Amino acid sequence: MEFIAPVDAVFLLAESREQPMHVGALQLFEPPEGAGDDFAAQVHDKLLGRTDVDPRFRKHPATIFGAPQMAWTYAEEVELDYHVRRLALPGPGRMHQLVDLASGLHSSLLDRHRPLWEFHLIEGLADGRFALYSKMHHALIDGVSAQRLLRRTLTSDPASSATLVPWHLPRGRRRAATGAGGAARNLVSAAASGASLLRAARTALLGQQLSLPFAAPRTMFNVPIGGARRSAVRSWSLDRLQQVKKATGSTLNDVVLTMAAGALRRYLIERDALPDKPLIAMVPMSLRGEDDDDTNGVKVGAVLCNLGTDIADPLDRLQVVSASMRDGKDIYRTLSSNQTMALSALMLSPLALNLVPALISWTNPTFNIVISNVPGPREPMYWNGARLDASYPLSIPFDGQAVNITLTSNADNLDFGLVGCRRSVPQLPRLLDHLESSLAELERAAV
């Protein structure tokens, strides 16, 4: 038994039927040439044969001192045919049916009496492809780490038929401190650098170089949410966004954020719900280095970004987004990882009020939406000889934050996954159309 790190425990404490706290992914695969109709069934049998399960995939919350969110315990046996399931779509096997199925799977809570993860192999698409929907609790792993873990199951060799599974992978080169001892050392490190943290907080909060908490306007997204989810997915050519980046001298993430800002502006105008003040996005920032292979727990900071949704001109909006992100990153560059975590907690502490649904109707939102860009592979990847066509991340809407936009790179594409409260965000797929219109608008103005 080991104590749960405080930042990980938050995701267990905040979870409810209305607010599941797992991250997910919907991966699409093209079977290898000559594969039979039973290829997906063969893959499923291989998965069930990988019975060695790493400790992190045996973890579930234990009750200690009467509290069920303070410590992890480890299951002695993992019932793989519960955690790894095979499903089939009904005819005619359209893409929207797959996304609807993933939406339902993403709406349900993970069983806390079992290890906090599930994988669903889904066949029956009319074009012959199959999908893998996975979900892991955010207390167990953050979104960036989950993407890295899934990426480590893939290979760039199309001839490889090795069956790598997330629950049993070779150990990474480095291990971060874990458990109570590691958490204590992190707290001591953060406390020892309190002076620089206070200086950073003063610059951020008083200098207004970051979008301030409580500066976000109230929107239709900032309401109490229900437990049912709707998902929407689409891929865009990375080259299109790179062309805008080169023409404007901005970063790729700035272009992504401006593309999302334009889509949100159009969506809200369509519903006569666009506020006069600009929307504020929380942009997660991984604190893991590229060579940090430890994927336990959560290591994520946050930048608050002015999306410029009150600005009609797309290039002017891009300038506002770029300046806001640049100022936010400048603050964090002066801090250690522990200081960054502490400052992120300081910046986002008002969000804790949103854990009490009754308060959401009268407290100002800390930010309006989470938009996360997770780096992925830049070359074609394969799994069991099947080519990865798309990898759509599906993240977490929070109470008071009814929609989430997450994307990841996959070879020559950017794969967007949108998740919204089914009750609070009507016609979520319309945001996909608006993302395309927003990107086309940027291209016309810049390229």
Side-chain angles (χ1 to χ4, degrees), residues 14-300:
E15 186 168 61
S16 65
R17 177 62 195 93
E18 291 74 28
Q19 189 168 264
M21 285 290 175
H22 50 256
V23 292
L26 180 65
Q27 297 171 292
L28 272 177
F29 293 95
E30 176 74 33
E33 187 175 350
D37 293 338
D38 62 344
F39 181 78
Q42 293 176 17
V43 171
H44 182 249
D45 288 341
K46 288 182 181 180
L47 297 181
L48 293 181
R50 300 303 303 269
T51 55
D52 291 335
V53 181
D54 283 347
R56 83 187 72 179
F57 282 88
R58 295 177 178 271
K59 294 165 87 169
H60 62 90
T63 298
I64 182 171
F65 305 134
Q69 287 90 17
M70 291 183 62
W72 294 114
T73 189
Y74 291 82
E76 292 185 9
E77 298 291 334
V78 177
E79 192 178 355
L80 271 187
D81 57 359
Y82 174 86
H83 292 274
V84 184
R85 307 178 197 177
R86 179 183 167 204
L87 304 174
L89 296 174
R94 304 298 187 196
M95 186 66 186
H96 74 82
Q97 293 175 288
L98 174 63
V99 176
D100 284 347
L101 175 58
S103 297
L105 295 172
H106 203 61
S107 300
S108 61
L109 294 168
L110 288 161
D111 183 355
R112 293 198 182 188
H113 297 285
R114 300 174 182 267
L116 298 176
W117 58 276
E118 291 177 7
F119 289 83
H120 300 260
L121 191 70
I122 306 169
E123 53 189 306
L125 279 166
D127 59 12
R129 294 185 294 176
F130 69 95
L132 182 68
Y133 167 77
S134 55
K135 66 179 178 182
M136 293 171 266
H137 203 284
H138 208 310
L140 195 69
I141 193 168
D142 62 53
V144 171
S145 300
Q147 288 292 320
R148 288 188 182 182
L149 199 63
L150 292 174
R151 197 188 318 165
R152 287 173 58 195
T153 68
L154 305 172
T155 175
S156 58
D157 180 7
S160 173
S161 59
T163 304
L164 296 178
V165 293
W167 57 90
H168 186 74
L169 286 170
R171 293 290 181 184
R173 296 185 302 276
R174 298 177 59 190
R175 302 290 294 172
T178 57
R185 284 189 289 275
N186 288 344
L187 289 173
V188 169
S189 176
S193 52
S196 61
L197 174 60
L198 289 175
R199 285 196 298 271
R202 183 170 61 250
T203 304
L205 297 175
L206 301 182
Q208 297 185 5
Q209 289 176 297
L210 293 178
S211 300
L212 297 180
F214 296 123
R218 177 161 297 281
T219 74
M220 62 178 290
F221 304 132
N222 307 121
V223 295
I225 63 174
R229 300 286 175 261
R230 178 179 280 115
S231 302
V233 302
R234 190 176 297 179
S235 299
W236 275 268
S237 167
L238 183 59
D239 182 64
R240 292 179 63 187
L241 285 85
Q242 292 280 17
Q243 292 298 322
V244 176
K245 169 194 166 183
K246 293 175 184 176
T248 58
S250 55
T251 70
L252 180 64
N253 199 47
D254 292 343
V255 178
V256 166
L257 289 168
T258 306
M259 177 181 170
L264 292 167
R265 174 182 165 87
R266 288 169 178 266
Y267 181 88
L268 292 171
I269 287 175
E270 199 171 61
R271 284 156 181 78
D272 195 25
L274 180 68
D276 295 332
K277 295 176 63 178
L279 271 65
I280 304 299
M282 191 273 269
V283 183
M285 180 174 60
S286 176
L287 304 182
R288 300 183 190 274
E290 283 301 316
D291 58 349
D292 182 359
D293 286 331
D294 176 54
T295 53
N296 281 294
V298 179
K299 289 186 179 179
V300 177

